[in-house]
Amino acid sequence: DKDFSPVVGCGEVAYFEPIQPNNFITIAAISMEDIDMDIEKEIVVGSGQNVYASQNNLYVAEIQYNYAIRPLPLAQEDNDTEESFEESIEKTVVHKFSLDNGEIDYLGSGKVKGTILNQFSMDEYSNNFRIATTIHRWSFRGEDRSSNNVYVLDEDLDIIGSLEDLAPGETIYSSRFMGDRAYLVTFKKIDPFFVIDLSDPKNPEVLGKLKIPGYSDYLHPYDENHIIGIGKEAVDAKQGDFAWYQGMKMAIFDVSDVENPKELHKITIGDRGTESEALHNHKAFLFDKEKELLVIPILLAEIDDDKKVEERPIG
């Protein structure tokens, strides 16, 4: 029989408030040089939907819902107070751990309004933490009242700068932080590509934006002034407030003039139904600038021209 030993003693298990006993997070530091070195572990009762790591810190982001309060679609429109709305919306709690030569220490947490899309919605730069979120809400008439935000938090995860209510009625489809800038793509019927200045962390601001058909699910830096975007082409529906997904779209955005970003090149592959793992998993995206090579897997769907009719709305 194989001997078993406890991973951690009960008295060494930490927890996030409010306690979620059905979830555990294990953070482990494993030496890549000495296989006999003890594994440093931190066991936490809690949950985390996304993780971001810098050279020095690890950030675990979890969504916090307030189930005790009815979600309010739009405070002013439905005669509810703004305070009630603030309490009802979903929030993202970010927990910070230091990573110091294999030592793991919990440093604290911070909270922002809205939820994040994925790990690329977070970033650490000059000791500040940046995060992009979407607040999802609807009116009683079914109108989308979502909005998007960018927050800057200091070392203690206190908010020191914010840019709120971007692209009302849309949601973030992709984001990328690069030094003093952030790039966001939101979508409902068209693709607003935002260039955001973060050089003053206390006063983030939109430098420019570009509205084009389709959207980008993933943004990847080509160089300092050019961004690769991959996603879907889209066209407006003849009836209704929505757009139709089309084939895969790859584009290069030129942000040399930050106030007037441009779609420099674009290619569309296939028709509606064309998919790629790279739209959901950045590890399926291979780019080598030196070799001038870009590779993504694609499941190609092609429709005869005489059969290209509207089938169903996106959403």
Side-chain angles (χ1 to χ4, degrees):
D1 293 337
K2 184 176 181 179
D3 293 332
F4 291 92
S5 60
V7 174
V8 65
C10 295
E12 299 175 86
V13 177
Y15 63 88
F16 296 151
E17 291 184 338
I19 298 175
Q20 302 180 46
N22 294 328
N23 299 288
F24 285 83
I25 296 173
T26 301
I27 302 172
I30 303 171
S31 174
M32 303 297 288
E33 298 177 348
D34 184 357
I35 61 174
D36 296 321
M37 183 178 291
D38 290 339
I39 298 176
E40 176 78 14
K41 297 182 295 292
E42 187 75 30
I43 311 297
V44 182
V45 178
S47 66
Q49 285 73 37
N50 285 282
V51 174
Y52 170 80
S54 67
Q55 291 292 325
N56 302 310
N57 300 297
L58 177 74
Y59 299 87
V60 178
E62 63 170 331
I63 301 173
Q64 184 180 87
Y65 297 99
N66 191 342
Y67 294 107
I69 300 178
R70 174 180 59 86
L72 302 178
L74 186 61
Q76 294 87 345
E77 179 179 281
D78 301 313
N79 298 317
D80 287 306
T81 65
E82 187 66 29
E83 289 77 15
S84 296
F85 169 71
E86 290 291 333
E87 289 298 320
S88 70
I89 62 175
E90 68 270 23
K91 298 178 176 65
T92 296
V93 180
V94 180
H95 301 281
K96 182 178 181 180
F97 297 84
S98 68
L99 305 176
D100 183 12
N101 195 30
E103 297 292 328
I104 303 170
D105 291 308
Y106 181 65
L107 300 180
S109 66
K111 184 185 297 184
V112 297
K113 292 185 290 185
T115 61
I116 63 173
L117 178 65
N118 52 35
Q119 69 191 71
F120 294 105
S121 299
M122 301 181 285
D123 175 77
E124 182 188 87
Y125 183 72
S126 296
N127 297 322
N128 291 323
F129 178 75
R130 293 96 63 90
I131 184 169
T133 69
T134 295
I135 297 174
H136 301 277
R137 52 175 172 165
W138 293 265
S139 73
F140 282 134
R141 293 190 295 271
E143 299 168 326
D144 192 342
R145 301 292 186 180
S146 300
S147 61
N148 307 284
N149 319 285
V150 175
Y151 297 100
V152 181
L153 289 70
D154 62 15
E155 288 183 281
D156 298 320
L157 294 183
D158 294 322
I159 297 175
I160 59 173
S162 63
L163 181 61
E164 298 183 314
D165 298 324
L166 286 170
E170 301 179 359
T171 58
I172 292 175
Y173 270 53
S174 58
S175 57
R176 194 81 187 216
F177 291 91
M178 292 175 57
D180 287 330
R181 294 183 194 169
Y183 303 99
L184 295 183
V185 169
T186 61
F187 182 75
K188 182 179 181 181
K189 294 181 66 175
I190 57 175
D191 170 4
F193 174 83
F194 290 92
V195 180
I196 298 171
D197 179 24
L198 297 170
S199 58
D200 181 356
K202 295 182 179 180
N203 296 288
E205 62 176 344
V206 174
L207 293 176
K209 62 181 178 179
L210 170 68
K211 292 188 176 184
I212 51 178
Y215 64 88
S216 296
D217 274 310
Y218 176 64
L219 298 174
H220 190 93
Y222 177 83
D223 58 28
E224 184 177 345
N225 292 312
H226 296 87
I227 309 295
I228 300 171
I230 62 169
K232 291 287 188 70
E233 185 64 279
V235 296
D236 286 349
K238 294 179 180 179
Q239 296 180 343
D241 188 24
F242 59 86
W244 299 98
Y245 288 162
Q246 303 297 309
M248 282 277 298
K249 172 184 174 181
M250 292 190 293
I252 294 182
F253 300 103
D254 183 351
V255 293
S256 302
D257 180 356
V258 292
E259 295 183 358
N260 298 287
K262 300 177 181 178
E263 187 180 67
L264 199 61
H265 304 288
K266 181 184 79 169
I267 183 173
T268 302
I269 301 174
D271 296 310
R272 185 163 58 248
T274 299
E275 292 292 339
S276 173
E277 177 69 15
L279 297 176
H280 319 288
N281 179 6
H282 70 278
K283 293 181 180 179
F285 179 93
L286 171 62
F287 174 64
D288 189 319
K289 183 181 177 183
E290 183 178 339
K291 295 181 179 179
E292 298 183 346
L293 182 68
L294 191 157
V295 180
I296 59 173
I298 289 180
L299 176 63
L300 184 66
E302 295 181 314
I303 303 173
D304 293 339
D305 290 339
D306 58 347
K307 295 181 180 179
K308 291 183 179 179
V309 296
E310 292 186 353
E311 296 175 357
R312 59 182 180 180
I314 64 173

